[in-house]
Each structure stands twice: as C-alpha cells, then as structure tokens.
Amino acid sequence: MKITLAKTSPLLQPNFVFGVATSSFQIEGAADSREPCIWDTFCDTPGRIKDNSDGKVACDHVARWRDDIELIAGLGVDAYRFSIAWGRVINRDGSINEAGLAFYQQLLDALQAKNIKAFVTLYHWDLPQYLEDHGGWLNRNTAYKFAEYTDIVTKAFGDKVYSYATLNEPFCSAYLSYEAGIHAPGFQNRQQGRQAAHHLLLAHGLAMRVLRKNAPHAKNGIVLNFSPCHPASNSAADVRAAEMADQYHNQWYLQPLLEGCYPPLLAELAANEQPLMVDGDMAIIAEPIDFLGVNYYTRTVYRANEKGWFSDVPPTTPPLTDMGWEIYPKGLTEILLALHQRYTLPPIYITENGAAMPDTLLQDKVADQHRVDYFQQHLQATEDAIKAGVDIQGYFAWSLMDNFEWAEGYAKRFGIVYVDYVTQQRTLKNSAIALRDVFANRR
C-alpha cells in the first residue's frame, strides 16, 4: 500500500511541488448561482451522459469548500490546482457576479492561510451557454471574450495566485467537443474541430498578454494532454498513421505555441477542412509561456484506415483502468523525452495523472491498491524523465476526489478521496494515504 521513492529522488527535493487537482463543473455544484454552461445543456440532452446524471450538485463543493480545504491541507500538499467557472464570474449581460467572484477569493485566502500554492485554470471546458448561443469556440469573438474574462479575474485575485493556466486540454474542447461529438456541445465536423482549436489557441495567446500585464509575478502557461502514438504494426502504413495521429492530437496544440505554426499535416487537410486564420494570429498564439502543464493518462495505438487516415486500436490486454485505458507508465517518460528532444521547452508541471478504478467503500476504507501501484509507477516515470534532463517542477494527482466524469457521469471514480454522492461524505482512499505519506516524508 506504500509508495516509495529513493531518498535521493529529485521528487523529494524541497522545491518540487506536489499537488492535487479538480475542475469547477466536476465538483462545484451550486448550478443555481451561476449561468448555465454547455455541459448543463449537454446533460439535459437525452443519451449524452451514460448514467443520465448532471453537474447540478456534483460534490457540492461550493457549500463544502471549507471542509474540502481542510481535507487538502491534511494531505500535506504544496499546491491545489482548480478551475474557475466562467459563468460563475461573468453574467449573461456582461456584468460581474460579485458573489461568484467572492467565492473564489475566499478559496484563495484560505489556501494562502494554509501556505498552499494556488494553481488556477481559467478554462476547464465549461463555456457559458450564452457564448455557445453565439457560436461558442466557432466564433472568433469568444477568444476576445476570454481575454476580457481573464482581465476581470486576474485584477480581482491580485497576487493570491501562484500560477495561471489559460486552458486545460484544448484538444478535448476542440476535437472531442466539435469533431468527435462526445463532449459538449457535441458537434461532429472536422472543419469545426480545427476552427475551435484555432480559436482556443488564439484565446490562450490573448489571455497570456493580459496575464503578463495583470499577474507578472505568477507562473503563466497552458495545460495540454499528451498520449504517445504507437503504430499497431511495423507496416509503413501503420507507422505513418501513428505519426499523423501524433501531429493531429499532440503537436497540433504545442507546435503553434512554441514555434508559431501548425504541423505539416495541416497541408494534407482539404481546403474546406482547414481553420480560417487571420494575419497575426500565430504571433499571438506563440506568446512566451512560463510553464507547460502536461496531462498524461495512457498511450494510444493507431492503424491506417481505408480513408488514408488513422484509427485508434482500443486496448484489450490488462492491466486496464476502469475507463478501459491501458496502464502504460513508461509512456509518460517517453512523451516527455520526445517533447524535450523536439522543442525548446519551458519548465514542465505534470498537471494531471491518475486512474479511474472500480472502487468499493467497505468499513470506511477503500483498498485501491491498483491506484497506489499506478501512482508508484508514474512517479517513477516522472523521476526517470527528470534524470534524463527534462525540467519538471511539480506533479499533481488527478483527482482530489471522485466527481462528475463528463460523458461518463458519476460511474467512473478518479479520486484519491471517495465521495458518497448521497451523503457527500468524503473518505480517504488508501491511495490518498500513500500519497500523503510520500508528501510528509519530505519534511
């Protein structure tokens, strides 16, 4: 049940940041005190959420945040990563929701009092529905609205925030949401997926300019998800498919940020599938960042398909998580080293890493040994990357507690803390205790 790191591990150095992470829609609840977002609409659409649930209550965090801060502090973390619900801060008419803003200010004050660094994500997928009604991320103006929202939030928060991430996983907000259709708002159109991606990256660049001005002492950057793309076979077609998938899913979001251009695969898209861009966009997108957040869960295997494109091959060989994802810790080291060799990177934080497991609460305990093993292996993979020369400055476990897992509803549990959704009772799983012991051993 223990997680062990060598006494000399770089992860145990005083300046390495350990934290836990959440997102607003997944935990907050209190839907009646904010504007509806695209996920509220998605949840209200029959057949979209596997267990027909919604985020109206979730973990009731808005009501229980004081207890949750005590819970976080009890884990001995250095940092807490959480997101702001845009619609809790800005009303439909453009006015500020003062009570919503005050909620986050109280949260920041409480973290500061506990000496816990606040890592704030400005956008974790919950676009206000009033913006979606005008086209959402397909509307270029949404990027400018995001910059305005960033300006309001950062002026209000002052120097209480250690780090700002503009976006969490724009891949999900673009590809899963506008192209694959499995996330809100649920469209299925390649051009729209590429257009949403471009406007998200534009929003990031515009927001970075605001952050430079309003929060110059914070570490400001972005969080991207990465999955190593492996070919299903050694055939030239499958190798090529994996390379295309890497460009389309990984490099599409990072290369513009660091090099001011999209991957070569852009030229292979039909003209009517390419995003519309304006002169100067790429310069805005490539604003310098102080850090890159890396979210990692698994690798993906690809084969060539009959359309000359790529298809993923779902894993079947154990060990798999409750999401059906392969447990592949060396993929974390692999992707970090590949990025390190390919780009001149800013400092990196592992901003999400974790696993959904079929947890059972028995006699006030959750014996989630598989998750303990997962963390053990991925912390080791992080250490291996650091020893190979990658500048990694922190690691955040996903997630602090079980929560609304998007299209999966409440059926999948990623938390290191078990949540009984009827009573809202929180119970530390064995993984939380194991991580707490690792954090404590540094003191």
Side-chain angles (χ1 to χ4, degrees):
M1 136 154 186
K2 281 192 155 183
I3 294 171
T4 53
L5 296 170
K7 284 190 169 64
T8 55
S9 170
L11 277 61
L12 297 179
Q13 297 307 305
N15 57 348
F16 191 84
V17 173
F18 273 118
V20 288
T22 63
S23 90
S24 49
F25 190 82
Q26 292 180 276
I27 68 165
E28 283 184 358
D32 56 352
S33 58
R34 59 162 172 78
E35 294 283 353
C37 76
I38 55 174
W39 276 95
D40 295 305
T41 306
F42 203 64
C43 291
D44 287 343
T45 309
R48 288 300 201 177
I49 309 300
K50 286 189 181 168
D51 62 0
N52 300 311
S53 63
D54 57 47
K56 289 185 174 67
V57 176
C59 302
D60 199 26
H61 173 69
V62 168
R64 298 167 188 270
W65 69 268
R66 289 179 178 82
D67 290 339
D68 288 340
I69 294 291
E70 292 297 331
L71 183 72
I72 293 164
L75 293 171
V77 298
D78 307 296
Y80 174 45
R81 177 176 174 246
F82 64 99
S83 74
I84 309 300
W86 192 339
R88 195 176 292 288
V89 174
I90 314 287
N91 296 317
R92 177 181 289 269
D93 63 4
S95 64
I96 295 171
N97 178 339
E98 296 293 352
L101 202 55
F103 163 68
Y104 294 113
Q105 288 170 311
Q106 286 179 299
L107 203 61
L108 290 167
D109 288 340
L111 290 169
Q112 207 164 38
K114 299 279 188 188
N115 201 26
I116 297 170
K117 296 178 174 71
F119 278 65
V120 168
T121 303
L122 291 166
Y123 184 71
H124 198 127
W125 311 354
D126 46 354
L127 187 73
Q129 183 61 41
Y130 61 75
L131 289 171
E132 183 60 38
D133 292 342
H134 291 96
W137 290 113
L138 300 177
N139 184 345
R140 184 180 173 87
N141 191 50
T142 300
Y144 292 87
K145 289 289 185 188
F146 181 69
E148 292 170 17
Y149 153 66
T150 300
D151 186 54
I152 289 165
V153 166
T154 49
K155 281 177 177 167
F157 292 171
D159 60 359
K160 295 172 184 175
V161 175
Y162 183 80
S163 167
Y164 282 104
T166 53
L167 309 175
N168 179 76
E169 300 183 346
F171 158 85
C172 296
S173 298
Y175 178 76
L176 295 183
S177 302
Y178 287 88
E179 195 164 334
I182 56 178
H183 277 189
F187 300 144
Q188 291 181 302
N189 180 291
R190 179 176 286 170
Q191 195 283 330
Q192 290 184 345
R194 297 303 94 186
Q195 195 64 58
H198 184 71
H199 288 156
L200 281 153
L201 291 172
L202 180 65
H204 155 79
L206 292 168
M208 281 301 300
R209 294 181 171 182
V210 175
L211 288 165
R212 287 260 174 276
K213 182 165 65 85
N214 292 359
H217 302 300
K219 292 181 188 289
N220 302 313
I222 190 171
V223 170
L224 304 181
N225 57 297
F226 293 96
S227 183
C229 299
H230 289 188
S233 75
N234 292 328
S235 74
D238 284 355
V239 170
R240 162 86 177 132
E243 162 58 24
M244 291 168 75
D246 180 58
Q247 288 190 44
Y248 204 68
H249 293 324
N250 291 325
Q251 312 308 328
W252 200 277
Y253 302 91
L254 185 59
Q255 193 169 345
L257 296 174
L258 299 182
E259 296 182 346
C261 62
Y262 285 107
L265 192 65
L266 173 66
E268 296 187 39
L269 296 182
N272 65 356
E273 293 178 335
Q274 295 183 16
L276 300 173
M277 301 181 235
V278 174
D279 284 348
D281 280 3
M282 299 314 285
I284 295 171
I285 289 169
E287 280 287 321
I289 52 177
D290 301 329
F291 78 94
L292 172 65
V294 170
N295 291 357
Y296 175 81
Y297 291 95
T298 187
R299 68 165 175 165
T300 315
V301 176
Y302 291 95
R303 60 170 177 80
N305 64 24
E306 61 285 350
K307 298 176 185 169
W309 203 242
F310 53 85
S311 297
D312 64 296
V313 181
T316 54
T317 308
L320 305 177
T321 71
D322 202 29
M323 295 289 288
W325 300 346
E326 180 183 8
I327 298 175
Y328 195 78
K330 65 182 178 184
L332 176 55
T333 313
E334 177 193 325
I335 195 72
L336 290 166
L337 289 180
L339 297 176
H340 177 63
Q341 287 155 11
R342 165 79 175 76
Y343 298 102
T344 301
L345 294 173
I348 285 174
Y349 289 89
I350 309 301
T351 33
E352 284 181 30
N353 181 232
M357 295 294 178
D359 298 321
T360 311
L361 181 66
L362 288 172
Q363 296 171 320
D364 296 328
K365 289 187 171 63
V366 180
D368 58 337
Q369 185 60 43
H370 291 308
R371 188 178 286 106
V372 175
D373 295 342
Y374 184 99
F375 283 126
Q376 172 73 63
Q377 294 161 352
H378 286 79
L379 287 167
Q380 186 59 55
T382 303
E383 179 177 315
D384 292 344
I386 294 172
K387 287 181 173 174
V390 186
D391 182 8
I392 304 170
Q393 299 193 353
Y395 175 98
F396 289 77
W398 182 270
S399 68
L400 167 65
M401 56 181 142
D402 298 332
N403 53 42
F404 180 80
E405 187 44 44
W406 308 112
E408 301 288 337
Y410 296 97
K412 305 297 182 189
R413 294 180 177 270
F414 273 90
I416 60 172
V417 174
Y418 187 93
V419 177
D420 179 322
Y421 296 115
V422 176
T423 65
Q424 291 295 342
Q425 177 70 34
R426 277 75 156 136
T427 304
L428 296 187
K429 301 179 189 179
N430 284 357
S431 56
I433 295 164
L435 285 169
R436 183 186 68 190
D437 290 349
V438 170
F439 304 156
N441 284 339
R442 299 173 302 156
R443 301 288 182 251

